[in-house]
Structure formats: structure tokens, C-alpha cells
Amino acid sequence: MTSRKVVSFENIKVACKNCSLATLCLPMGLTPDDVERLDCIIKRGRPYHRGDHLYRGGDKFHSLRVITSGSVKTYSPNEDGGEQVLGFHLPGELIGLDAIQDDCHTCSAIALETTAVCEIPFSQLESLSAIMPSLQHQMYRLLSREIGQDTEMLTLLGKKSAEERLATFLLSFSERFKQRGFSASDFFLSMSRHEIGNYLGLAVETVSRLFTRFQDENLLRVERKHVQLLDIPRLYDIVQGCDSAKSSQSRG
Amino acid sequence: MTSRKVVSFENIKVACKNCSLATLCLPMGLTPDDVERLDCIIKRGRPYHRGDHLYRGGDKFHSLRVITSGSVKTYSPNEDGGEQVLGFHLPGELIGLDAIQDDCHTCSAIALETTAVCEIPFSQLESLSAIMPSLQHQMYRLLSREIGQDTEMLTLLGKKSAEERLATFLLSFSERFKQRGFSASDFFLSMSRHEIGNYLGLAVETVSRLFTRFQDENLLRVERKHVQLLDIPRLYDIVQGCDSAKSSQSRG
DNA sequence: AAAACGACTTGATCAACATCAAGAATTTCT
DNA sequence: AGAAATTCTTGATGTTGATCAAGTCGTTTT
């Protein structure tokens, strides 16, 4: 039920140097020698199943984690039982960066499907980065990138309409799937409508209606989790917020 | 017109070891020796005036900056002329972390009043942190903290009502002023209503109305930029989102 | 001091999206 | 396979906060 497999689950013994995700991940920009040294501290456990927690808010922080297959939702459980979905993470993406601050996870991470991860013990990573300038640089870059992504999300939630939010969401997945060698226009979403709505600051019903409307406007075809983007350029127009997108469509 | 001064503008020659902000800033947790070494790479220029840019989106990235007095607004100028305010920064706070990613500022920073900063050339900081584990650790912590703050902001914009947003905003300033040795309940805001609204994802008019309403409910007194918080506990109740706050007030 | 400008406030109206409610389609459980 | 529980969709209604409009107050300019 995974959208598509990047690394099959049996590759538990895979090393960074053989990993197709290396260019997206921590080893990016490192020399083969350095990758080898980094590889030594990485732990690869058995996969998580749908609904398993990788960690929970409040847990002591030990390791950063890179998704190698499957997908993960991070969320912060807020006082009144509800939750705020913070992100959906695909293979090659690093999670747990927010926990460095005080050695404690501030949010929770849960597998949305069968999911494998690499665990990188942070204290060892820190030691290694102290003697490996390229790794230190890569860490600074990744942390900085995370900040940049969060601020983009702030603009999305602060200023964009429901329509713009969903289009941005879909194109984000499109781009990320493409980066990973999959179709940019035909993919499966592993999260529910409810989770999409929560992430985008919208009600489930609004998300559902928007999917229907986008389909009516021939922007995409959708059937449950399966999404086919039919007019990516017009989706980008919508993201821009200019309503030129509207004028160029002719309802069928 | 500054809210209050932390370090007078003349302290251009101040060193980290004498700086009252050291416990909030990069030197936090460093030994006096390490602080000394860090101090060597820091540049302290003449103050910026209201409206001066510290940097603009697109500028090449050279230095992180710590506010030492005054205040700064960061914002990302978006395509259609508008802007998204990303944050308001007080003395001791580090800005520019988002630019590490690709050596280029993604957002702009502008002084809201007369403002002094320490400049920390990043390449030198990076080199130093490679030979100073405690500094490296502090950098990781600060970057992680920034991520944590951004995700809090995501929850604010994704789930909270206008009332909750403004209460959170005010208490954030209250806490930060207190941390810096000033009154938690009596301060000046250096930004306009328009900027507050932009930051919180609200229209100016909504912000203005909320100030009026909070004042009517004896939560605070406000006159232009001058704010006096009269009932901080009830403001915290509002932040929580439980409407117990409403029931405990009796309109006069 | 008068005039012009910008920031803030207040009121009236409107629209986008949430909420409530019910039904259809899927998945899970037994 | 059949029942129960979810998830998703669709419609009707309601509310929050945006937008539009006008006026007040403060500040800067001349």
C-alpha cells in the first residue's frame, strides 16, 4: 500500500554509499571516505508499521532519523487532545531536528505506512561533525533548510486561500516524488483527508470539496489516495495567487 | 522612542564578556576562554536607524547578526508586492539563520527603531565551531530552537482564533521583555498595527478591534505603541483556547 | 500655525471557510 | 461474507474575520 518503494524493506544492510537517497540526505556533498565514516554510526532497525510511533513528544532525544522508505507524519499533540500536523516526510528526509534544543522531543512522529528509517545517534553525529568540516557544514545547511521550509509554511498559513494551500500541498508532493525518481503527476498520498486538512489549517470538508472542485476543473483526477495531476502549470498559477488560473479554464 | 535600552548605543566597544545579553546569546554556556575567542571574530558597526535594512532577500549571506539594542522585523517580500512578516526580534536574538542553506538571504531584515547589532561572519564562526565543541553545540541548539519556534508559530496560524493569536503575541513580548530585565506588563511595541496583523495573519482592523476589546475587558490598557498588561493570567487562559477566560470576566 | 499625510479606530457589509448533519463508499473486524 | 467502524463526500447553515468606507488622532512638512 506504499505509493512506490524506494528501497525494498529487505535492504537492511544497505550502506550509505549504495543508497539511492544519498544525494538527498546527510551524505550529500561528502567525499566517499567521509560517507564511510558517517555510515559507521548509523543504525538501521526493522521497519515500522502503519500507526507505529518513531517517537513521541516528551521522549528523550537520542537520534535523528532519516526515512528510507514509506512515509511519516510529525505532529505536536496540543493540550486539548487535538493535534497540529507539522509535516509529512518522504524517503531521504531528516526528522527530529527540533529536539536538539533541549534533548527532548517536542513533537511526535508516526508511520503512515510500512516505513524504514536510518537512526543517527546525535551525540556521535556531533562528535563526528566536529572533526569533519564537510559534515558540520551539511548539518548547518540542513538545519537552515528546515527553518526556510517552516517560514514558507508560515506564509502559506498566514496569507493563502484554501485553494492556494491545497495546490501548494499537491505540488510539493509532486516535486518531492519527482526528485526521488517517481512520477510527478501520478502518486498515492499516504495520509487521510483529515490529516491534510489539519496540516493546511482547513476543515476536512473543505479539503474534500476542493479535491472535487479541482477534479471538476480538470486540474487533476483523484480517487481516494490516488492522485493524478492533469494540469501542473495551472496548479502553479493557483499557487501564485493570481487568478489568471481561473480565466484560463473552461469547465467541462 | 525605543521601548527601553538594554545597552546604550555608545557601547560600541563592548565585548561579549561584559555584555548583559551574553546569557541569551551565542556565548551562552561557553567558558570565558571560549567567549574570548568568539569575541575576536565579532564585528560591531554603527547603529541602524528606523527603516534601514540590515539585509535584503537575495543579498549574499556573510554574517549572522545579533540584535544588541533596538528591534528588527524580518519579512519575506512575496511576488505580488506584498510581504509576510516572519518575526520581530529583540536584543539577544540571532537572525539570518535561514540564509546558511544556500549562502543567500531568503528574507529581509529592517530596523524598527534605532538598532545596534553584532555581526558574526559565518565562515569564521563555522571554522571556530569546528575546533570548539561547545560552540558547535550551541549553534545546533540555536538552530534547533529556531525550528521549534517556527513550529509553534505554525500551530498559531493553523489553529488559533484572532483573539488567541493576539494574546499569544502580547505574552511573547511580555516574556521576552521580562527575560531581558524589563517589565513584563508595561512596554512599548515598536511595530505598527499593520505589521502585527501581517505577522499574525489578520487584517489591521481586526488587530485594532481586538486591542479595543481587550481593553474593554480590562485585560490591558493600550495607547498607541504603549501597552500595559493588566491581567496576565487571563491572557494565558485565552492563549490556551479554553473559554474559561470568558466566564471569569464580568465586563465593567 | 496650517496643511498634508499616515496610522489608527470604528461601523457596515460581505465572503470564505467552519460547523452541523446526513448519506455513500471503504476498510476492518468477526 | 456480513456487520461495524472509518473515511470521505455533499448539502445546508452559521460565524469569524476580511473588506469597504469614513472619520479621528498624531505627526511631519511648509
Side-chain angles (χ1 to χ4, degrees), chain A residues 182-194:
Chain A
F182 302 123
S183 171
S185 60
D186 188 322
F187 47 81
F188 287 80
L189 295 173
S190 55
M191 73 296 297
S192 69
R193 299 282 190 272
H194 184 84

Side-chain angles (χ1 to χ4, degrees), chain A:
Chain A
M1 200 68 52
T2 72
S3 55
R4 260 169 187 82
K5 292 191 194 65
V6 172
V7 175
S8 73
F9 305 142
E10 292 70 29
N11 285 0
I12 302 297
K13 297 250 151 85
V14 74
C16 289
K17 63 178 172 184
N18 300 322
C19 179
S20 65
L21 297 165
T23 54
L24 294 168
C25 177
L26 213 51
M28 184 175 92
L30 269 57
T31 63
D33 258 18
D34 284 350
V35 174
E36 201 85 44
R37 286 197 284 172
L38 173 61
D39 209 6
C40 291
I41 68 168
I42 292 177
K43 291 192 277 186
R44 299 178 176 87
R46 50 158 182 35
Y48 295 90
H49 298 112
R50 177 180 170 75
D52 290 347
H53 272 86
L54 282 66
Y55 53 80
R56 289 172 201 265
D59 286 357
K60 182 137 173 53
F61 167 63
H62 296 292
S63 302
L64 298 177
R65 286 170 174 85
V66 177
I67 323 295
T68 57
S69 71
S71 54
V72 167
K73 172 183 82 170
T74 47
Y75 65 100
S76 77
N78 61 3
E79 50 279 348
D80 49 327
E83 66 182 48
Q84 167 71 40
V85 175
L86 298 172
F88 301 108
H89 307 278
L90 298 181
E93 294 174 355
L94 193 61
I95 60 171
L97 293 172
D98 56 293
I100 296 172
Q101 188 195 353
D102 45 28
D103 265 347
C104 180
H105 285 286
T106 56
C107 63
S108 304
I110 190 170
L112 290 170
E113 58 190 310
T114 304
T115 294
V117 305
C118 287
E119 274 194 40
I120 311 166
F122 184 69
S123 61
Q124 291 181 54
L125 179 65
E126 207 174 354
S127 304
L128 202 55
S129 74
I131 57 170
M132 241 166 83
S134 60
L135 179 60
Q136 190 196 55
H137 187 70
Q138 175 67 351
M139 280 297 295
Y140 287 147
R141 282 180 35 111
L142 287 174
L143 282 154
S144 176
R145 186 173 71 178
E146 188 76 16
I147 293 169
Q149 285 168 356
D150 283 353
T151 61
E152 270 181 48
M153 198 63 196
L154 290 184
T155 304
L156 189 79
L157 294 180
K159 300 272 171 305
K160 306 286 191 172
S161 69
E163 194 180 40
E164 291 166 328
R165 293 181 201 192
L166 188 63
T168 304
F169 174 82
L170 291 169
L171 289 173
S172 161
F173 276 90
S174 168
E175 287 172 6
R176 285 150 77 200
F177 281 123
K178 189 175 181 182
Q179 250 185 345
R180 285 157 184 75
F182 302 123
S183 171
S185 60
D186 188 322
F187 47 81
F188 287 80
L189 295 173
S190 55
M191 73 296 297
S192 69
R193 299 282 190 272
H194 184 84
E195 289 166 324
I196 296 173
N198 185 306
Y199 176 60
L200 297 176
L202 301 171
V204 204
E205 296 92 329
T206 304
V207 174
S208 182
R209 272 183 259 267
L210 282 170
F211 268 121
T212 306
R213 199 167 101 213
F214 282 178
Q215 182 161 260
D216 290 348
E217 292 172 357
N218 292 312
L219 286 164
L220 51 77
R221 193 166 308 154
V222 60
E223 199 199 340
R224 304 263 313 153
K225 312 260 173 190
H226 184 196
V227 176
Q228 289 171 278
L229 305 184
L230 302 178
D231 195 340
I232 291 182
R234 225 164 77 227
L235 283 169
Y236 276 106
D237 287 347
I238 291 175
V239 167
Q240 304 276 28
C242 54
D243 15 308
S244 64
K246 303 227 142 146
S247 58
S248 70
Q249 48 113 335
S250 55
R251 274 306 313 279

Side-chain angles (χ1 to χ4, degrees), chain B residues 202-218:
Chain B
L202 301 171
V204 204
E205 295 92 329
T206 304
V207 174
S208 182
R209 272 183 258 269
L210 282 170
F211 269 121
T212 306
R213 199 167 101 213
F214 281 178
Q215 181 161 257
D216 289 348
E217 291 173 358
N218 292 311

Side-chain angles (χ1 to χ4, degrees), chain B residues 133-162:
Chain B
S134 60
L135 179 61
Q136 189 195 55
H137 187 70
Q138 175 67 351
M139 281 297 294
Y140 286 147
R141 282 180 35 112
L142 287 173
L143 282 154
S144 176
R145 186 173 70 178
E146 187 77 16
I147 294 169
Q149 285 167 356
D150 283 354
T151 62
E152 268 181 48
M153 199 63 197
L154 291 183
T155 305
L156 188 79
L157 294 179
K159 300 273 173 302
K160 305 286 191 172
S161 69

Side-chain angles (χ1 to χ4, degrees), chain B residues 84-99:
Chain B
Q84 166 71 39
V85 174
L86 298 172
F88 301 108
H89 307 278
L90 298 182
E93 294 175 354
L94 192 62
I95 61 171
L97 294 172
D98 57 293

